[in-house]
Amino acid sequence: MEEEDRIEESSRVRLRGRTFSGGGVNESRWVDGSEVDSESPPLSLFDDNEAKEGYGSLRRRLVKKPKRVDSFDVEAMEIAGAHGLHPKDISTWHTLALAFQTLGVVYGDMGTSPLYVFSDVFSKVKIESEVDILGALSLVMYTIALLPLVKYVFVVLKANDNGEGGTFALYSLICRYAKVNMLPNRQPADEQISSFRLKLPTPELERALSIKETLERRSSLKTLLLLLVLMGTSMVIGDGILTPAISVMSAVSGLQGAVKGFDTTAVVVFSIVILVALFSIQQFGTSKVGFSFAPALALWFFSLGSIGIYNLVKYDITVIKAVNPAYIYFFFKKNSKDAWSALGGCILCITGAEAMFADLGHFSVPAIQIAFTFVVFPCLLLAYMGQAAFLMKYPESSDRIFYDSVPESLFWPVFVIATLAAMIASQAMISATFSCVKQSMALGCFPRMKIIHTSRKLMGQIYIPVINWFLMIMCVVVVSIFRSTTDIANAYGIAEVGVMLVTTTLVTLVMLLIWQTNLFMALCFPLVFGSIELIYFSAVLSKVLEGGWLPLVFASFFLSVMYIWNYGSVLKYQSEVREKISVDFMLELGSTLGTVRTPGIGLLYNELVHGIPSIFGQFLLSLPAIHSTIVFVCIKYVPIPVVPQEERFLFRRVCPKDYHMFRCIARYGYKDIRKEDHHAFEQLLVQSLENFLRKEAQELALESGLQEMDLDSVSVSSRDYSTRDVPDNEELKVPLMLGTRSEEAETSNSEAASAALPSSIMSSEIDPSLEYELSALREAIDSGFTYFLAHGDVRAKKNSFFLKKLVINYLYAFLRRNCRAGAANMSVPHMNILQVGMTYMV
């Protein structure tokens, strides 16, 4: 057995001004709660020692009964009401409006693909007969029909996580049904959040249970699943680099034939200027992406369809016979290896297909389905058929097929629209990258960075400066080095198909584990679509030396960063769990904690949801006195998109009453945004704590009075707090995101509670212990708040492997030193902050 890890106590005690004085400032700034130093424990922190006892019936085996909490804890486990996420407006007009908006956000990337698909395909295959043109057209048509239309529109969009899509959404959905993340901070109360909405498999199907238990039992499968998700996320970030580069450069290249002397160097320079401008305006936000960009893209799709019809009628309408898939066979028979190589260009016709799923949270499934089925799909088919018809008469124009096929009188209007469409497509991918990084940070898989919220109304619109400038630099480098859309296309294909393969794998797991689809149908999904994607993947991998290495480098870099951060955070959290202070030791210290208790409230931010963090011992050793009321605050992210407002907080008592120590757990989903100032946080936390004390007293009195129930948990819900003192324009500053409730509901609940309790315990005046605690709390409030921030470092043991020392002592340490620190993210005066550091040996 491995010996217990040692803790090297650090003498670093940083006092910032007066630590026990209340103080405050009038100014406040927005703070993202995901950036607080007590970051959420990472997703790969699994409990591999879970008991393997029998569960009884199949249904009981799938959802275990919550365990009793410790006798000294009063767990807030009752979640008030079943408050599901509000469904999207299902009116027809609203759905059509959303479908219109999707054109500007979701389909910009796919809509600009006609700029470069055929030029890339026919750079590998020379046009010698109509078989080459019809075969390539047939490939494009069936690729669009099978992957975006059949796979995403009719299957993948249904695998959403409470309306959210994307790689992490699929992962969180799987994590709720099979405890593949088994975080030590997961509590039975989390499963009672209404948005968890666990749908139990039917008792007749043992297959889902077998898969579930296999995933939970084997840590190697958990790690493999996490790596798969991180790889998909890394490739999405890589798309954020390649999409602006290829879209803008393809649009600008149209000037080469229209303006004399406009050579490749001019294309590169002009593209770089547009890219720098595009990334420079990100800091102003994208609050008008929807209706502002949708008209431009609608005009673009109208142009594609109209020009396509014009070319079909004018040049060769017989290309419609490419709907016969036999031309695909003739194409491969004639060109063999070159045809296989051309698949790398053909896959570009569905670039951005993943955005239909990733951007689902901003719209709805019907809206995305309607927009693609009735607008995007037919317009793209007409565009490609029109280009094919033009090539039947002018096969030498394959290099500039898009602009050559545009009627001369419409060249400049189409060029302007194409450039605008390329910028919009880039904008959508940049915003998606920001959201992806934010989700990764919330789930403990990416170093903390500064997040700026660019809209008070649209909470999902964010701006991450570091990521933005990194993307800009990489885009400029890519355009400067490759200088050709063909080489960039080789790189783009690998990233696109890689993300699709990850989605296919995760959706297959959802089918088997959650949907419990018929086994034959569930296996047909990866066999059909997975086989198609693997064929495309093999084709784009053959271009590794011709630009395909670029997304592999990007993906490897981001995967390494994410996994190193996750791995180091896992070890750090495990060390804190092992080294937490025992309750027996606290009881030996007594209610004075072996020091002097002075009036005031100390808020100690930490990551533990159970037990007392060891860093608290450092505060006791380092400080001459400690506050009369201590609250351990834990910011915890649960694997759901959004935690309903009224189910945000859990409260628990730590140690006996005379210790005046509590735990406050704030639960957030990976899509939740925390914007608050410390004044609102303090006020609402005190209200929550007072309500907790009153409910606790009522429950204990009821228990002793009735002697029929064993109530060891009480519910603290932010729904019980009045919002009368919160101005409308300050709503976002309330950390608990207060729910609203009618006065009638409050009255009825109050009457129901009164009827349930004996008259002898209805008044708090009869309970002297409650009055004493409330008076002590008010005295502490008057003395002010102090924020205790725990700064824990991790170092590898001397006898550790070299690789572990390299990762922990250098790489992970470098990331921690350069990521966003907790004190920098809290809108708290420095005079109210105190930090103590510890070093854990792992």
Side-chain angles (χ1 to χ4, degrees), residues 287-465:
S287 59
K288 298 181 180 179
V289 167
F291 272 113
S292 295
F293 286 173
L297 263 298
L299 182 60
W300 169 251
F301 281 112
F302 176 77
S303 301
L304 289 179
S306 301
I307 295 174
I309 294 175
Y310 172 81
N311 289 330
L312 272 174
V313 174
K314 182 177 181 180
Y315 298 109
D316 193 349
I317 198 172
T318 61
V319 296
I320 296 179
K321 60 185 179 182
V323 295
N324 183 358
Y327 282 100
I328 298 177
Y329 168 75
F330 298 144
F331 180 72
F332 276 92
K333 182 178 180 181
K334 177 180 181 297
N335 298 287
S336 61
K337 186 178 180 180
D338 290 337
W340 177 69
S341 178
L343 288 177
C346 180
I347 194 63
L348 297 179
C349 69
I350 57 171
T351 54
E354 185 69 21
M356 286 193 292
F357 188 46
D359 292 331
L360 180 60
H362 299 288
F363 304 101
S364 65
V365 172
I368 293 179
Q369 291 175 330
I370 290 173
F372 185 83
T373 305
F374 296 103
V375 178
V376 178
F377 183 61
C379 288
L380 288 178
L381 289 187
L382 289 173
Y384 287 116
M385 286 191 291
Q387 292 183 22
F390 185 85
L391 286 174
M392 295 288 281
K393 189 170 183 180
Y394 302 103
E396 70 279 358
S397 299
S398 60
D399 291 340
R400 298 184 68 256
I401 175 57
F402 178 80
Y403 285 107
D404 284 353
S405 65
V406 174
E408 186 176 352
S409 60
L410 297 177
F411 173 82
W412 286 107
V414 170
F415 172 77
V416 173
I417 299 174
T419 304
L420 184 59
M423 295 183 66
I424 294 173
S426 304
Q427 173 65 64
M429 200 64 230
I430 294 169
S431 299
T433 302
F434 291 157
S435 298
C436 185
V437 172
K438 169 66 174 64
Q439 291 183 29
S440 304
M441 291 169 56
L443 296 176
C445 295
F446 207 91
R448 299 182 307 276
M449 296 180 178
K450 180 180 180 180
I451 296 178
I452 297 175
H453 305 279
T454 58
S455 174
R456 288 176 176 265
K457 295 180 180 180
L458 303 176
M459 301 297 292
Q461 295 190 6
I462 59 176
Y463 167 67
I464 306 177

Side-chain angles (χ1 to χ4, degrees), residues 155-215:
V155 181
V156 175
L157 286 180
K158 297 180 180 179
N160 61 83
D161 182 15
N162 289 329
E164 297 293 338
T167 305
F168 267 107
L170 284 173
Y171 185 51
S172 68
L173 185 63
I174 295 172
C175 288
R176 295 210 303 277
Y177 283 82
K179 298 180 182 178
V180 292
N181 58 345
M182 273 306 293
L183 292 173
N185 70 346
R186 182 164 178 172
Q187 300 168 285
D190 295 339
E191 299 178 9
Q192 298 179 34
I193 298 177
S194 57
S195 51
F196 253 75
R197 298 198 318 198
L198 292 177
K199 299 176 182 178
L200 297 180
T202 56
E204 295 78 17
L205 292 179
E206 285 281 346
R207 187 188 72 236
L209 175 64
S210 176
I211 295 174
K212 175 180 183 292
E213 293 179 342
T214 301
L215 288 174

Side-chain angles (χ1 to χ4, degrees), residues 250-287:
S250 298
V252 174
S253 62
L255 293 176
Q256 280 187 290
V259 179
K260 294 183 179 180
F262 201 86
D263 56 5
T264 302
T265 302
V267 171
V268 171
V269 173
F270 196 47
S271 298
I272 291 177
V273 171
I274 294 178
L275 288 171
V276 171
L278 176 65
F279 283 100
S280 298
I281 63 175
Q282 295 299 313
Q283 57 186 313
F284 300 108
T286 56
S287 59

Side-chain angles (χ1 to χ4, degrees), residues 575-592:
S575 298
E576 292 184 355
V577 171
R578 286 194 300 266
E579 302 298 339
K580 62 185 179 182
I581 300 175
S582 67
V583 178
D584 293 337
F585 178 73
M586 296 298 295
L587 295 177
E588 291 178 5
L589 291 178
S591 60
T592 62

Side-chain angles (χ1 to χ4, degrees), residues 27 101 109 129 154 178 181 198 221 242 301 309 331 372 405 472 538 542 559 628 703-704 722 724 742 758 837:
E27 297 180 354
Q101 292 182 52
D109 194 4
S129 67
F154 293 109
N181 58 345
L198 292 177
L221 292 179
L242 298 175
F301 281 112
I309 294 175
F331 180 72
F372 185 83
S405 65
M472 186 194 75
S538 64
S542 66
L559 177 63
S628 58
E703 180 184 33
S704 61
S722 172
R724 289 188 295 269
S742 65

Side-chain angles (χ1 to χ4, degrees), residues 553-829:
V553 171
F554 285 149
S556 300
F557 171 76
F558 283 107
L559 177 63
S560 299
V561 170
M562 297 169 75
Y563 190 76
I564 289 172
W565 180 263
N566 183 271
Y567 177 69
S569 300
V570 164
L571 297 181
K572 177 176 178 291
Y573 191 88
Q574 289 176 339
S575 298
E576 292 184 355
V577 171
R578 286 194 300 266
E579 302 298 339
K580 62 185 179 182
I581 300 175
S582 67
V583 178
D584 293 337
F585 178 73
M586 296 298 295
L587 295 177
E588 291 178 5
L589 291 178
S591 60
T592 62
L593 300 179
T595 183
V596 179
R597 303 293 292 270
T598 61
I601 297 180
L603 304 179
L604 194 153
Y605 281 80
N606 69 105
E607 302 173 15
L608 300 182
V609 296
H610 294 293
I612 302 170
S614 57
I615 198 71
F616 183 62
Q618 290 301 299
F619 283 108
L620 294 178
L621 292 175
S622 305
L623 302 177
I626 201 70
H627 294 75
S628 58
T629 300
I630 299 294
V631 180
F632 299 108
V633 181
C634 174
I635 307 297
K636 184 176 75 169
Y637 284 86
V638 290
I640 56 177
V642 178
V643 175
Q645 299 172 0
E646 61 272 15
E647 303 176 22
R648 180 80 64 202
F649 267 17
L650 294 179
F651 263 85
R652 172 189 298 172
R653 185 184 293 278
V654 179
C655 296
K657 283 188 175 182
D658 55 345
Y659 280 65
H660 304 295
M661 297 172 62
F662 307 91
R663 183 177 305 284
C664 171
I665 301 174
R667 303 175 297 183
Y668 290 84
Y670 56 82
K671 280 285 188 178
D672 276 328
I673 303 294
R674 294 185 64 236
K675 291 182 177 181
E676 64 196 29
D677 62 48
H678 72 288
H679 291 299
F681 179 86
E682 294 166 1
Q683 178 184 3
L684 200 50
L685 184 140
V686 167
Q687 293 175 352
S688 305
L689 186 53
E690 288 180 350
N691 196 44
F692 169 79
L693 294 175
R694 290 190 175 91
K695 284 200 171 186
E696 178 193 39
Q698 290 177 352
E699 295 290 351
L700 292 176
L702 180 62
E703 180 184 33
S704 61
L706 299 179
Q707 295 182 353
E708 295 176 355
M709 305 178 183
D710 182 17
L711 300 177
D712 60 352
S713 66
V714 297
S715 175
V716 174
S717 171
S718 60
R719 298 190 313 153
D720 297 309
Y721 311 135
S722 172
T723 60
R724 289 188 295 269
D725 297 331
V726 181
D728 293 339
N729 60 350
E730 295 295 322
E731 182 181 356
L732 295 179
K733 293 187 177 182
V734 179
L736 295 189
M737 298 183 181
L738 296 180
T740 58
R741 190 175 59 170
S742 65
E743 293 295 333
E744 290 79 8
E746 293 181 5
T747 303
S748 61
N749 287 348
S750 176
E751 292 175 354
S754 300
L757 293 174
S759 58
S760 59
I761 61 173
M762 286 304 299
S763 174
S764 61
E765 295 178 358
I766 303 179
D767 189 347
S769 63
L770 174 60
E771 280 299 305
Y772 172 75
E773 277 204 285
L774 291 177
S775 62
L777 179 60
R778 296 187 187 102
E779 182 183 358
I781 295 171
D782 295 337
S783 299
F785 291 77
T786 298
Y787 289 74
F788 295 90
L789 301 183
H791 182 77
D793 288 331
V794 181
R795 302 287 295 178
K797 296 179 180 179
K798 293 183 178 180
N799 58 350
S800 300
F801 292 109
F802 170 77
L803 183 60
K804 183 177 181 180
K805 290 181 179 179
L806 175 65
V807 170
I808 297 299
N809 296 349
Y810 296 97
L811 301 180
Y812 178 69
F814 174 80
L815 293 176
R816 280 191 64 87
R817 284 195 304 268
N818 292 277
C819 74
R820 193 77 168 164
N825 299 307
M826 301 178 64
S827 58
V828 181

